[in-house]
Amino acid sequence: MILKGNQRAGGDDLASHLMNLYDNDEVELAELRGTIAPDLHGAFTEFEALAAGTRAQEALYSLSINPSEPMRRDQYFTAIDRIEERLGLTGQPRAVVFHVKGGREHCHVVWSRIDIDRMKAVQLSHDRQKLRVVARELA
């Protein structure tokens, strides 16, 4: 399983990319948690609006999950929950999008990094190392 994650801004561009049917055979918005908006553009606008009350420059954490073998949805969500816990993003608003490209399914997860109780961005030190460890555990 390949896990690639990064902190980023540009929620509108990211939403357009994730919902792009031109480059993908299928696109499914599988989950929106912690938002009022029912769509990805609106959700990411909410994520970035929260960040305006902080000094955070990159309000989003974007992750792609590319499994080496097909996975069931419950397996994806188990992996997402473990990754979320390891990164310290438990309970943060998130969006989960599935893509099918060339017959292969993969998944994207985007979290808001803004902890609304503290109005600070969740610190994501050593996230690549944490993702490597989780990928090994999940394998």
Side-chain angles (χ1 to χ4, degrees), residues 20-119:
N20 180 357
L21 277 167
Y22 181 77
D23 292 330
N24 298 290
D25 303 328
E26 295 176 38
V27 174
E28 176 193 349
L29 176 57
E31 179 186 73
L32 271 180
R33 178 180 77 192
T35 68
I36 296 169
D39 66 301
L40 208 53
H41 282 91
F44 291 176
T45 298
E46 287 180 38
F47 291 178
E48 290 184 323
L50 285 173
T54 71
R55 288 190 270 159
Q57 299 296 310
E58 297 172 318
L60 309 174
Y61 189 80
S62 176
L63 173 77
S64 66
I65 301 173
N66 286 298
S68 53
E69 301 175 4
M71 289 173 53
R72 296 184 322 268
R73 292 298 168 92
D74 65 312
Q75 292 173 313
Y76 271 110
F77 280 98
T78 296
I80 291 166
D81 289 342
R82 281 183 81 186
I83 293 163
E84 179 176 280
E85 182 180 343
R86 185 64 53 96
L87 293 176
L89 293 167
T90 302
Q92 288 298 110
R94 75 178 183 200
V96 179
V97 178
F98 288 95
H99 286 168
V100 176
K101 190 180 221 175
R104 289 196 70 224
E105 183 176 69
H106 63 281
C107 177
H108 297 271
V109 185
V110 181
W111 286 271
S112 169
R113 292 184 52 230
I114 306 305
D115 177 341
I116 60 171
D117 293 332
R118 299 181 318 127
M119 284 308 288

